[in-house]
Amino acid sequence: MKTIDKLAWIEIKDGQILSTRSKGRTKYYFPGGKREAEESDFAALSREIAEELTVQLVPETVNYFGTFRAQADQHPEGVEVKMTCYTGHYTGTIQAASEIEEVVWLTYADREKVSAVDQIIFDWLNAEGLLN
């Protein structure tokens, strides 16, 4: 089985979770991306968040949230995405940049609008009472 190794930032505010939609896509995804050669999780995640959302993660506030796996969206059956998630505070104003076309705050009612791995995270957050 092929695995796509991704990192994601989990940002929850008022029972809603930050999500993004890339240009040419219909589904929403948590912000983040793939690491480049030799990058640490923090280096890759902070680079991706700065590129996609124009904000800076505050290093001392970034904490591991969990790792989730599911069938990769828009890939052949058997291609899995492994999403390692972190939370953390940021500085700046969130706005769409780079390949991001739209930034939204989603609730559990929006579950069907996100990728399979994000749906697993939605379910967990909802069960924990963190997502409206």
Side-chain angles (χ1 to χ4, degrees), residues 29-97:
Y29 301 86
F30 297 137
K34 299 176 192 168
R35 83 184 83 238
E36 294 178 357
E38 306 303 315
E39 271 186 319
S40 68
D41 281 9
F42 177 75
L45 186 61
S46 59
R47 175 185 50 76
E48 288 284 349
I49 296 308
E51 288 173 5
E52 293 179 354
L53 301 175
T54 72
V55 297
Q56 300 299 314
L57 293 177
V58 179
E60 60 273 11
T61 69
V62 174
N63 291 299
Y64 174 75
F65 178 80
T67 301
F68 303 86
R69 296 173 181 265
Q71 168 65 38
D73 190 42
Q74 296 188 340
H75 286 272
E77 188 66 34
V79 177
E80 175 186 70
V81 62
K82 178 182 90 170
M83 180 107 59
T84 305
C85 301
Y86 292 86
T87 60
H89 299 296
Y90 65 94
T91 60
T93 301
I94 293 173
Q95 57 188 17

Side-chain angles (χ1 to χ4, degrees), residues 12-46:
I12 300 170
K13 182 170 61 174
D14 301 325
Q16 298 180 320
I17 191 159
L18 179 70
S19 197
T20 60
R21 187 176 55 77
S22 297
K23 294 174 182 165
R25 295 283 182 112
T26 57
K27 294 224 181 238
Y28 292 94
Y29 301 86
F30 297 137
K34 299 176 192 168
R35 83 184 83 238
E36 294 178 357
E38 306 303 315
E39 271 186 319
S40 68
D41 281 9
F42 177 75
L45 186 61
S46 59

